[in-house]
Amino acid sequence: MKSTAILTKEEFLQHWLGHRNLTRNTIEKFPEKELFEFSIGGMRTFANLVKELLSIAEPGLRGIVERATEPYDHALNLNTKAELLAQWDADTPKIIELYNQIPEEDFHKTHNLFGEYNFPIYSNLLYFVDNEIHHRGQGFVYLRILGIEPPFFWERD
Amino acid sequence: MKSTAILTKEEFLQHWLGHRNLTRNTIEKFPEKELFEFSIGGMRTFANLVKELLSIAEPGLRGIVERATEPYDHALNLNTKAELLAQWDADTPKIIELYNQIPEEDFHKTHNLFGEYNFPIYSNLLYFVDNEIHHRGQGFVYLRILGIEPPFFWERD
């Protein structure tokens, strides 16, 4: 449907990339040990939450572009902060490249994400970002409990 | 700019309203006392986080529609769970009505939100939703620490 865009394709990408910067900065704030060992209330460690994010963003987007429906795998073999950050940084240019391959006309087509979530592509993409904000917000609480100041929520550079 | 919308104005509203349902369900899960008294790591109580959300959503949107730039006031006089929920429910139809008054053409116009955040309207609106997801994610941690199962993140009814 042609209309006046409330949000362009490029603006949504920049919005997502800004959130990725903030999440990266949040990972950086964690001490190595607490990143992989600290948790509370029976929740996952922040490293495991980040692995979930990594297993969704690039693989999910690749699935959308290739119309593939393989399940996700959260159990990534990343065992240090440096490895998590390296994977994060390796994925960002791939995300940009993959995202740019999705024509605007396709955002309302349905894709069965990971063979499990059959929704319009725009909805899949919003979910990626929402889920990242959600788990990063939890990481902010972990940092506060550890006595560490989280990054500013509005800082996206 | 006319183009094929990746996300229509109505879809963004529905996305926001879905998040509002989830946040409402999250407030519901808190016991009265812990809603107003529990916090950790020097953070605010979930009631105070919810008051922030209430002081942003409807007042911020009203500011956008009326091009008003009064500052926000997070210190709302809401002292019980029932009062928080009543305010939440009173604001939802107002949010729908105000949102529907913003023409698509205006989403890229700049508005000085609360006299402090001078950004395009689409960016202000994304911030409202992001901030709600962020603080609600923190509420999920509070619930887990209290031994209470949060709502499902993907459940938006």
Side-chain angles (χ1 to χ4, degrees), chain A residues 1-8 11 15 19 105 107-108 122 127 130 133-134 137-138 140-141 144 153, chain B residues 1-8 11 15 19 41 105 107-108 122 126-127 130 133-134 137-138 140-141 153:
Chain A
M1 67 210 80
K2 297 265 178 197
S3 63
T4 300
I6 62 160
L7 177 74
T8 69
E11 284 160 352
H15 180 69
H19 275 299
E105 290 72 28
F107 277 70
H108 285 85
Y122 83 82
Y127 191 88
D130 291 352
I133 299 168
H134 175 70
Q138 300 179 327
F140 272 43
V141 184
R144 289 280 183 199
F153 180 64
Chain B
M1 66 210 83
K2 297 264 179 198
S3 64
T4 301
I6 62 162
L7 178 72
T8 68
E11 284 160 354
H15 179 68
H19 276 298
E105 290 72 26
F107 278 71
H108 285 84
Y122 83 83
L126 284 172
Y127 191 87
D130 291 353
I133 299 168
H134 175 69
Q138 300 179 326
F140 272 43
V141 183
F153 180 64

Side-chain angles (χ1 to χ4, degrees), chain A residues 9-10 12-21 53-62 64-65 87-102 107 125 128-129 132:
Chain A
K9 181 181 154 186
E10 176 62 20
F12 180 76
L13 175 63
Q14 292 308 320
H15 180 69
W16 186 7
L17 295 175
H19 275 299
R20 285 183 63 80
N21 285 338
L53 301 179
L54 286 166
S55 72
I56 288 177
E58 195 276 341
L61 196 54
R62 186 171 298 280
I64 288 171
V65 168
Q87 186 70 51
W88 197 268
D89 291 339
D91 283 356
T92 300
K94 292 187 205 164
I95 285 169
I96 296 168
E97 197 205 331
L98 288 163
Y99 181 86
N100 287 335
Q101 291 180 48
I102 309 172
F107 277 70
L125 295 173
F128 294 176
V129 179
E132 179 172 336

Side-chain angles (χ1 to χ4, degrees), chain A:
Chain A
M1 67 210 80
K2 297 265 178 197
S3 63
T4 300
I6 62 160
L7 177 74
T8 69
K9 181 181 154 186
E10 176 62 20
E11 284 160 352
F12 180 76
L13 175 63
Q14 292 308 320
H15 180 69
W16 186 7
L17 295 175
H19 275 299
R20 285 183 63 80
N21 285 338
L22 177 57
T23 305
R24 192 190 192 287
N25 293 340
T26 307
I27 300 168
E28 285 270 24
K29 291 276 184 184
F30 273 82
E32 183 81 34
K33 181 178 158 67
E34 282 76 12
L35 182 57
F36 287 88
E37 294 181 12
F38 178 81
S39 81
I40 194 160
M43 292 179 64
R44 286 171 285 173
T45 63
F46 194 59
N48 279 337
L49 295 175
V50 170
K51 286 187 212 176
E52 176 185 306
L53 301 179
L54 286 166
S55 72
I56 288 177
E58 195 276 341
L61 196 54
R62 186 171 298 280
I64 288 171
V65 168
E66 299 176 355
R67 298 292 193 274
T69 55
E70 281 88 35
Y72 54 81
D73 175 16
H74 294 346
L76 304 178
N77 185 27
L78 300 167
N79 304 302
T80 64
K81 180 155 105 170
E83 286 177 4
L84 285 177
L85 290 171
Q87 186 70 51
W88 197 268
D89 291 339
D91 283 356
T92 300
K94 292 187 205 164
I95 285 169
I96 296 168
E97 197 205 331
L98 288 163
Y99 181 86
N100 287 335
Q101 291 180 48
I102 309 172
E104 270 133 336
E105 290 72 28
D106 282 9
F107 277 70
H108 285 85
K109 290 185 183 161
T110 295
H111 171 64
N112 193 17
L113 184 72
F114 301 123
E116 213 175 322
Y117 308 100
N118 203 22
F119 295 105
I121 287 170
Y122 83 82
S123 180
N124 288 331
L125 295 173
L126 284 172
Y127 191 88
F128 294 176
V129 179
D130 291 352
N131 189 56
E132 179 172 336
I133 299 168
H134 175 70
H135 285 315
R136 187 185 56 220
Q138 300 179 327
F140 272 43
V141 184
Y142 290 11
L143 285 172
R144 289 280 183 199
I145 295 172
L146 293 167
I148 298 163
E149 181 98 14
F152 293 116
F153 180 64
W154 55 88
E155 181 76 54
R156 305 290 165 82
D157 295 326

Side-chain angles (χ1 to χ4, degrees), chain B residues 89-143:
Chain B
D89 292 339
D91 282 356
T92 299
K94 292 188 206 163
I95 285 170
I96 295 168
E97 196 204 333
L98 287 165
Y99 182 87
N100 287 335
Q101 291 180 47
I102 309 172
E104 271 132 334
E105 290 72 26
D106 282 10
F107 278 71
H108 285 84
K109 290 185 183 162
T110 295
H111 170 65
N112 193 18
L113 184 71
F114 301 122
E116 213 176 324
Y117 308 101
N118 203 21
F119 295 106
I121 287 170
Y122 83 83
S123 180
N124 288 331
L125 294 173
L126 284 172
Y127 191 87
F128 295 176
V129 179
D130 291 353
N131 188 56
E132 179 171 338
I133 299 168
H134 175 69
H135 286 314
R136 187 184 57 219
Q138 300 179 326
F140 272 43
V141 183
Y142 290 9
L143 285 172

